[in-house]
Amino acid sequence: MEVLKSLNNQIASPQFSVSATIRTMGTSSDSIRDLGPAERLRLVEQIGDDLAVEPSPIPLPDWAVAEAKRRRAEMLADSRLGFKHDEVWKRIDDSRNG
């Protein structure tokens, strides 16, 4: 329970650090499972933010790069397969507003 209290305090802190959180939790995924959904989502957001400022590229497996290229080519060949930016946001807003 002390680990969770410490983790919750770190997440709430404006100086939250993924590195410090990982050190606090050790390698136990049980600590993460003990968090509530909002706390886990906040941790994921912080990890994403941390990765976004990472100077080195995030390694992707070859199959993921190939799949991304295939999907991009497919979308460029047939624009009916996707939605324009405005349409995506309209759908998101509509789903939120009932």
Side-chain angles (χ1 to χ4, degrees):
M1 199 60 159
E2 282 303 310
V3 170
L4 290 178
K5 285 181 185 176
S6 174
L7 179 60
N8 288 334
N9 290 338
Q10 287 181 18
I11 290 172
S13 166
Q15 293 83 27
F16 176 77
S17 159
V18 172
S19 299
T21 301
I22 291 170
R23 281 194 305 275
T24 300
M25 291 189 320
T27 57
S28 171
S29 61
D30 291 336
S31 297
I32 296 170
R33 287 189 194 102
D34 290 340
L35 297 172
E39 295 163 320
R40 289 193 311 262
L41 182 58
R42 177 76 174 131
L43 183 58
V44 169
E45 289 171 353
Q46 291 295 327
I47 291 170
D49 291 347
D50 192 61
L51 288 171
V53 297
E54 177 66 35
S56 58
I58 299 169
L60 294 173
D62 292 340
W63 67 265
V65 173
E67 180 65 11
K69 287 179 179 179
R70 183 195 68 75
R71 290 181 184 195
R72 182 176 189 275
E74 187 177 43
M75 291 290 296
L76 292 174
D78 186 355
S79 63
R80 295 174 298 154
L81 296 175
F83 300 100
K84 295 189 182 322
H85 184 263
D86 292 341
E87 177 63 20
V88 171
W89 283 110
K90 181 182 180 316
R91 287 175 174 231
I92 291 169
D93 289 340
D94 289 349
S95 72
R96 289 180 178 165
N97 299 324

